């Protein structure tokens, strides 16, 4: 995973973290219930971890040269 991919991943997660914190802490914010926002945050974390794992797997496979 390169720096650009990592930055994009962190930005996507921070958007979910910000939303969750608004739902949890800001009573005046029109939002979903905190438990729903938490599930969305968990799903986003899982998605980003799976994406990073897939990138790592593809990179590892690409780095393996078949013997001739």
């Amino acid at each position: 995973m390169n720096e650009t991919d990592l930055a994009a991943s962190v930005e996507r997660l921070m958007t979910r973290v910000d939303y969750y914190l608004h739902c949890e802490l800001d009573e005046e914010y029109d939002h979903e219930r905190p438990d729903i926002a938490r599930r969305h945050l968990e799903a986003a974390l899982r998605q980003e971890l799976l994406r990073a794992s897939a990138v790592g797997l593809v990179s590892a496979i690409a780095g393996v040269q078949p013997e001739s």
Side-chain angles (χ1 to χ4, degrees):
M1 188 172 243
N2 65 33
E3 286 295 319
T4 303
D5 294 336
L6 184 58
S9 181
V10 168
E11 186 61 33
R12 286 189 295 270
L13 288 173
M14 289 309 296
T15 299
R16 287 293 184 180
V17 168
D18 288 344
Y19 182 72
Y20 170 71
L21 290 174
H22 279 297
C23 291
E24 190 70 50
L25 302 174
D26 190 350
E27 294 178 9
E28 296 177 7
Y29 189 71
D30 184 25
H31 54 69
E32 298 174 291
R33 295 182 3 214
D35 58 322
I36 294 170
R38 181 182 173 88
R39 284 195 301 259
H40 287 194
L41 175 57
E42 287 176 13
L45 285 166
R46 290 178 195 275
Q47 182 179 9
E48 293 302 328
L49 289 171
L50 286 171
R51 179 179 287 126
S53 177
V55 167
L57 182 60
V58 169
S59 296
I61 291 171
V64 175
Q65 299 295 325
E67 292 183 26
S68 315

